C-alpha cells in the first residue's frame, strides 16, 4: 500500500508440460492466500530463444514483478544458459543464476533454491543441529541435492553426496546420522538400512497408484529413526513457503 504496487511473481513457461502447469497452479494458490500476485506467462512450444530472452528482459524491468521463475523443462533447443544469460540475479527467486549459486557456495546472502531451503527450515524448526554430523545427500541436481549439500556444509556437517554412480550406497546410508534423499525412486532407501536415531529428509515425490510416494520406505524406518519427513505433506509444502519467503525478500530489496 505504501508504494502503491502489488508486488508479485512471474512464472514463465514454454510449452504445456503438465507437471509445470500443476506447479504453477499450486504457486498461484499459495501466493494468493498470502496476498501476493502471480503472473503466469506461457510461450508457445515453438517459441525461439530470442523470444524467451525478450520476455525475461521485459520482466526484469517491470517494478510490479519482484521475482521471476522460468519453469523447467525447457524445449531441448534451449539450454539453461538461455535463461541465465539474461535473468536479473536480483529477481532470481528460484536461485538458479550463477551469481546466487556462487554466493551460496561462498556462504553469502543469496536466493537459496526453495526445496533445499525448506529442508533446512524443517531441521531448524525441530531444533535439529548439524554441527559435526555425518550427513548423506542422495541426488546432485542443481535445484535440490547440490545446494542442500552446500547448506549442510555451511552448518558444519560432514557431507557426502551420492548419485547414480555411487557404488557403496547402503553402507553410506547405514553410517549417516542425517539422510536427505532427492532421487525420485519410491522406496529407494530401505528403512532397515538407516542408522538407529537417524534424521531423514525425504524430498522424493513420485506417483505410485495415484499416490504421492517418497524415496524412503517410511514404514520400515518408523521406530528406527529419530525423525522423518512424511510424503506427502513434508518437504513439499515447505518448498512453497520458501518460494514465498524468497519473493518477499526480493520485494524488500526492490523497494530498498
Ligand atoms: P533429478 O534432477 O532427476 O536428480 C535425481 C538425482 O538422483 C540425480 O542426481 C541422480 O544421479 C540421482 N540418482 C538417480 N538414481 C540414483 C541411484 N540409483 N542412486 C543414487 N542416486 C541416484 O531430480 P530432482 O529434480 O533433484 O528431484 C528429485 C526428487 O525430488 C523427485 O522425486 C522430485 O519430484 C522431487 N522434488 C521434490 C521437491 C519438493 O518440494 N519436495 C521439489 C523438487 C523436486 P545422477 O546425477 O548421477 O544422474
Amino acid at each position: 500500500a505504501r508504494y502503491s504496487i502489488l508486488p508479485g511473481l512471474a512464472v514463465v513457461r514454454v510449452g504445456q508440460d503438465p507437471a509445470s502447469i500443476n506447479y504453477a497452479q499450486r504457486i498461484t494458490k499459495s501466493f494468493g492466500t498470502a496476498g501476493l500476485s502471480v503472473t503466469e506467462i506461457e510461450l508457445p512450444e515453438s517459441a525461439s530463444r530470442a523470444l524467451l530472452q525478450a520476455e525475461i528482459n521485459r520482466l526484469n524491468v517491470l517494478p510490479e514483478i519482484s521475482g521471476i521463475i522460468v519453469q523447467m523443462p525447457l524445449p531441448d533447443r534451449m539450454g539453461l544458459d538461455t535463461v541465465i544469460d539474461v535473468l536479473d540475479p536480483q529477481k532470481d527467486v528460484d536461485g538458479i543464476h550463477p551469481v546466487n549459486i556462487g554466493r551460496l557456495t561462498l556462504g553469502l546472502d543469496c536466493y537459496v533454491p526453495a526445496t533445499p531451503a525448506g529442508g533446512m527450515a524443517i531441521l531448524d524448526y525441530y531444533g535439529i543441529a548439524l554441527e559435526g554430523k555425518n550427513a548423506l545427500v542422495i541426488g546432485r541436481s542443481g535445484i535440490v541435492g547440490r545446494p542442500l549439500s552446500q547448506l549442510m556444509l555451511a552448518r558444519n556437517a560432514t557431507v557426502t553426496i551420492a548419485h547414480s554412480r555411487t557404488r557403496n550406497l547402503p553402507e553410506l546410508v547405514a553410517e549417516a546420522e542425517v539422510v536427505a534423499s532427492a532421487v525420485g525412486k519410491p522406496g529407494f532407501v530401505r528403512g532397515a538400512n538407516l542408522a538407529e536415531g537417524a534424521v531423514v529428509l525425504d524430498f522424493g515425490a513420485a506417483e505410485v497408484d495415484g499416490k504421492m510416494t517418497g524415496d524412503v520406505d517410511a514404514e520400515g524406518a518408523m521406530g528406527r529413526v529419530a525423525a522423518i519427513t512424511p510424503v506427502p505433506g513434508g518437504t513439499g509444502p515447505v518448498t512453497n513457503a520458501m518460494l514465498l519467503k524468497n519473493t518477499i525478500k526480493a520485494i524488500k530489496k526492490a523497494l530498498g
Side-chain angles (χ1 to χ4, degrees):
R2 190 151 115 215
Y3 295 94
S4 300
I5 57 167
L6 175 63
L9 178 73
V11 180
V12 183
R13 181 169 59 246
V14 182
Q16 296 269 357
D17 175 55
S20 298
I21 294 172
N22 188 283
Y23 182 44
Q25 283 168 349
R26 278 185 284 132
I27 295 173
T28 302
K29 195 169 161 215
S30 57
F31 273 57
T33 311
L36 293 185
S37 74
V38 174
T39 308
E40 281 188 59
I41 295 154
E42 189 185 303
L43 301 180
E45 181 73 36
S46 60
S48 64
R49 192 174 191 269
L51 180 66
L52 175 59
Q53 291 193 324
E55 191 56 37
I56 297 170
N57 276 323
R58 185 181 73 83
L59 297 166
N60 276 343
V61 294
L62 279 185
E64 65 271 29
I65 297 296
S66 302
I68 303 169
I69 289 186
V70 180
Q71 292 195 285
M72 305 293 155
L74 290 170
D76 288 344
R77 62 183 180 285
M78 291 185 196
L80 185 61
D81 58 348
T82 307
V83 179
I84 58 181
D85 282 355
V86 288
L87 179 63
D88 179 355
Q90 299 291 339
K91 292 195 177 186
D92 170 34
V93 290
D94 232 3
I96 62 161
H97 193 284
V99 166
N100 285 310
I101 296 171
R103 292 182 68 92
L104 177 67
T105 307
L106 294 170
L108 300 172
D109 180 55
C110 63
Y111 294 113
V112 179
T115 303
M120 298 303 286
I122 291 172
L123 295 179
D124 288 345
Y125 181 83
Y126 289 101
I128 296 167
L130 289 175
E131 176 99 16
K133 289 195 179 147
N134 282 336
L136 173 66
V137 177
I138 314 174
R140 56 175 166 179
S141 74
I143 56 158
V144 193
R146 269 172 215 246
L148 182 67
S149 63
Q150 289 293 342
L151 292 167
M152 290 185 159
L153 188 61
R155 296 287 183 89
N156 298 320
T158 303
V159 185
T160 303
I161 307 171
H163 47 77
S164 64
R165 313 294 161 85
T166 299
R167 268 184 256 151
N168 54 340
L169 190 60
E171 287 141 58
L172 296 174
V173 170
E175 281 165 14
E177 295 167 280
V178 178
V179 176
S181 188
V183 175
K185 294 187 177 168
F188 175 72
V189 177
R190 291 186 36 229
N193 208 4
L194 291 157
E196 293 276 349
V199 169
V200 182
L201 291 172
D202 190 350
F203 294 98
E207 251 187 52
V208 178
D209 300 330
K211 211 176 147 238
M212 188 75 85
T213 310
D215 285 348
V216 182
D217 148 37
E219 224 167 89
M222 285 301 171
R224 188 172 182 82
V225 297
I228 180 167
T229 56
V231 179
T235 55
V238 188
T239 292
N240 255 356
M242 292 299 118
L243 182 60
L244 250 170
K245 200 172 167 189
N246 276 354
T247 306
I248 289 168
K249 180 175 175 157
I251 293 165
K252 287 184 175 171
K253 276 191 175 186
L255 296 177

